[in-house]
Amino acid sequence: MAAKTKKDKKDKKKDKDKKKSKKKDKDEKKDKKKSKKKDKDKDEKKNKKKDKDKGEKKSKKKDKGEKKSKSKDKEKKKDKDKGEKKKPKTYSVADIAEKADVDPREMKAFFDQFRRRLEKMKVGAKIRVQGICNFEKIETNPRVSRNPRTGEKVDVPAKKKIRVRISANLKDL
């Protein structure tokens, strides 16, 4: 019986050693997995930084020679954050002439003549552009206003100006 107990003790020690080695192996595997995850995270961060750096370099290349004020940059960032719509494209006389298949010089002459006609209008006169808008020359009354900074009263003289009213057709667009 004494021999059995010695063998049993040896077997128990071997079992304990095996269990300890298994635990060590599991711990090592876990450590390896963690280190791999850390390495991946580090690599991803590096890649993101590289991408950002590349984007900044590209934007710097585009902006060479142009200096922008910080306030304009801040405003643009705010606009992007708000998700506002882009400003509508403005068209030159040449663009309009091209789309209308008209000579750009003729189109420019038309707009110049139209502008001169608006300038020569008398008070109370109206010009109606069917389906687009109405132009009317009005005279404002003289009034007293205040300077917002100083609060000082300022006399504003009477003026002649053109009132533009957009047609209902365009408002519905």
Side-chain angles (χ1 to χ4, degrees):
M1 287 201 157
K4 285 184 180 178
T5 56
K6 285 182 182 178
K7 285 184 181 178
D8 290 337
K9 287 180 182 179
K10 287 181 183 178
D11 290 339
K12 285 182 182 178
K13 283 184 182 180
K14 287 181 183 178
D15 290 338
K16 285 182 183 179
D17 291 337
K18 286 181 182 179
K19 287 180 182 178
K20 286 180 182 179
S21 64
K22 286 181 182 179
K23 284 184 182 179
K24 285 181 183 178
D25 291 340
K26 286 181 182 179
D27 291 339
E28 288 175 3
K29 287 180 182 178
K30 286 181 183 179
D31 290 339
K32 285 181 182 178
K33 286 181 182 179
K34 286 181 182 179
S35 64
K36 285 181 182 179
K37 286 182 181 179
K38 287 180 183 178
D39 292 340
K40 285 181 183 179
D41 292 339
K42 287 179 183 178
D43 291 339
E44 288 175 7
K45 287 180 183 178
K46 286 180 184 178
N47 291 336
K48 286 181 182 178
K49 286 182 182 178
K50 286 180 183 177
D51 292 341
K52 286 181 183 178
D53 292 341
K54 286 180 184 177
E56 289 175 8
K57 287 178 183 176
K58 286 180 183 177
S59 65
K60 285 181 183 177
K61 287 180 183 177
K62 289 179 184 176
D63 296 339
K64 269 189 178 176
E66 296 180 18
K67 292 184 178 180
K68 295 183 179 180
S69 65
K70 291 180 181 179
S71 61
K72 287 183 181 179
D73 291 339
K74 288 180 183 178
E75 288 175 11
K76 286 181 181 179
K77 287 180 183 178
K78 286 180 183 177
D79 291 342
K80 288 180 182 178
D81 292 340
K82 290 180 183 177
E84 291 184 13
K85 295 179 181 178
K86 292 181 180 179
K87 290 184 179 179
K89 182 178 178 183
T90 57
Y91 295 97
S92 67
V93 174
D95 293 335
I96 295 170
E98 185 180 315
K99 291 192 180 202
D101 292 330
V102 178
D103 184 37
R105 289 174 284 176
E106 290 177 10
M107 187 64 74
K108 185 173 180 351
F110 167 77
F111 280 111
D112 288 340
Q113 182 66 29
F114 188 73
R115 182 182 47 79
R116 278 190 236 114
R117 175 74 182 199
L118 288 173
E119 289 173 354
K120 291 181 182 178
M121 282 175 55
K122 294 181 180 178
V123 175
K126 295 180 182 180
I127 297 177
R128 172 175 279 141
V129 181
Q130 188 69 35
I132 297 175
C133 61
N134 297 328
F135 298 92
E136 180 182 6
K137 190 150 193 176
I138 59 170
E139 188 172 3
T140 61
N141 296 325
R143 60 190 173 89
V144 177
S145 183
R146 291 186 180 268
N147 183 333
R149 288 188 181 177
T150 62
E152 180 184 349
K153 291 184 179 181
V154 179
D155 290 330
V156 179
K159 295 181 188 178
K160 294 177 184 175
K161 57 184 182 179
I162 297 174
R163 177 188 293 159
V164 181
R165 291 191 177 161
I166 304 298
S167 73
N169 296 341
L170 286 181
K171 286 182 182 178
D172 293 341
L173 292 178

